[in-house]
């Protein structure tokens, strides 16, 4: 639980008993008491603008898993996405890796390596 650095974040968390995610745009530290057993966070994405780090939260078989991705210097590569369940748009930084594809006679092809949440592009405050 102490894997999430104490920074100010924006982002969202989606609880197992909710129809839509909860938007976090207060830019406050993430409160560890949000990591409950029931209802649990199915997924969450947090972004700290000052440190330029992205935090991913996933619950797999009752265990929380966290990933911290440093996207410092990569924000100019962020792509905009429409967040249908978020009622706002958001940005993601994506990385791809080359690998020899056996289905293409060993030619080098690209596959996704990771994606990192990089904040919202527009917040509709009536949905918070």
């Amino acid at each position: 639980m102490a894997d999430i650095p104490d920074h100010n974040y924006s982002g969202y968390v989606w609880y197992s008993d909710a129809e839509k995610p909860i938007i976090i745009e207060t830019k406050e530290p993430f409160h560890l008491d949000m990591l409950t057993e029931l209802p649990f966070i199915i997924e969450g994405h947090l972004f700290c603008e000052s440190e330029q780090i992205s935090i991913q939260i996933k619950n797999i078989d009752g265990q929380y898993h966290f990933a911290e991705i440093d996207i410092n210097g990569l924000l100019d590569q962020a792509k905009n996405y429409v967040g249908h369940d978020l009622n706002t748009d958001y940005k993601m930084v994506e990385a791809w890796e080359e690998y020899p594809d056996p289905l293409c006679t060993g030619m080098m092809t690209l596959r996704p390596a990771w994606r990192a949440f990089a904040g919202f592009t527009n917040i509709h405050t009536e949905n918070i």
Side-chain angles (χ1 to χ4, degrees):
M1 304 278 190
D3 293 329
I4 299 177
D6 189 23
H7 299 303
N8 294 335
Y9 296 101
S10 61
Y12 71 91
V13 293
W14 198 330
Y15 281 98
S16 58
D17 65 345
E19 292 183 24
K20 292 188 175 204
I22 297 171
I23 294 176
I24 301 168
E25 186 55 24
T26 56
K27 297 190 178 177
E28 293 181 0
F30 181 76
H31 301 287
L32 293 179
D33 59 352
M34 294 179 78
L35 299 171
T36 57
E37 191 171 321
L38 284 176
F40 59 90
I41 294 174
I42 297 170
E43 73 169 354
H45 290 279
L46 306 171
F47 176 63
C48 175
E49 189 172 358
S50 64
E51 300 294 321
Q52 293 193 359
I53 60 170
S54 180
I55 304 288
Q56 297 173 355
I57 304 169
K58 292 196 183 278
N59 190 305
I60 302 170
D61 295 330
Q63 296 289 319
Y64 282 108
H65 299 268
F66 308 98
E68 178 181 331
I69 302 170
D70 182 354
I71 56 175
N72 192 16
L74 300 175
L75 285 178
D76 60 334
Q77 299 173 22
K79 295 180 181 172
N80 293 334
Y81 288 87
V82 175
H84 299 287
D85 291 320
L86 293 170
N87 293 327
T88 184
D89 299 338
Y90 62 95
K91 299 181 283 188
M92 297 291 278
V93 175
E94 301 174 333
W96 296 75
E97 63 184 357
E98 274 191 328
Y99 79 105
D101 189 340
L103 299 175
C104 293
T105 64
M107 292 188 326
M108 298 303 282
T109 59
L110 294 175
R111 66 178 169 197
W114 53 264
R115 291 176 46 173
F117 177 75
F120 296 112
T121 57
N122 58 356
I123 293 289
H124 306 286
T125 55
E126 68 273 8
N127 297 319
I128 296 178

